[in-house]
Amino acid sequence: MLVALLMCYAGFTALCLSTDRHHGELLHSKPSPRRRLGLRAAGWLLLTVSIWPAVVIAGWGQGLVQWCAVLMLSALLLVLLLPYRPRLAMNLAGIGLLACPVAAVATL
């Protein structure tokens, strides 16, 4: 479930960075239309693909339920970090993406 959690958090962070407000806060610039589209696509792709590790580990019945819980947990973590520690929120997403392959190998 760690892989799904890391992917969901990174996906929500990418979706968050696709907005003008959060992109400006974190990266001190307005996103170009191309970057905004890329961030949205990456965010939705990560959220969609994050279903796969949950289903592989626990099956369709429990996997989807656990994925929904992981989805809510990652969104809650991002919402709580963004107002108080925005740089930490963005750094955690990058570290999480780098740690995804390691966590996937560890669950084998």
Side-chain angles (χ1 to χ4, degrees):
M1 291 319 310
L2 180 62
V3 177
L5 177 69
L6 295 173
M7 290 173 77
C8 285
Y9 183 79
F12 278 129
T13 304
L15 287 174
C16 188
L17 283 173
S18 71
T19 63
D20 289 335
R21 177 181 175 199
H22 295 299
H23 196 278
E25 278 181 5
L26 296 170
L27 301 175
H28 306 294
S29 66
K30 187 177 179 182
S32 66
R34 182 177 222 154
R35 180 179 281 183
R36 182 180 296 130
L37 183 64
L39 285 168
R40 280 188 190 149
W44 283 113
L45 181 69
L46 282 167
L47 288 175
T48 304
V49 172
S50 68
I51 297 171
W52 176 71
V55 169
V56 167
I57 291 172
W60 281 101
Q62 284 292 353
L64 288 178
V65 172
Q66 290 176 1
W67 177 73
C68 287
V70 164
L71 200 64
M72 288 185 289
L73 180 65
S74 62
L76 178 67
L77 179 63
L78 184 64
V79 165
L80 292 177
L81 280 177
L82 252 154
Y84 303 109
R85 306 284 289 175
R87 296 300 268 173
L88 177 64
M90 191 172 71
N91 291 340
L92 280 177
I95 291 168
L97 276 179
L98 291 175
C100 268
V102 175
V105 169
T107 58
L108 293 176

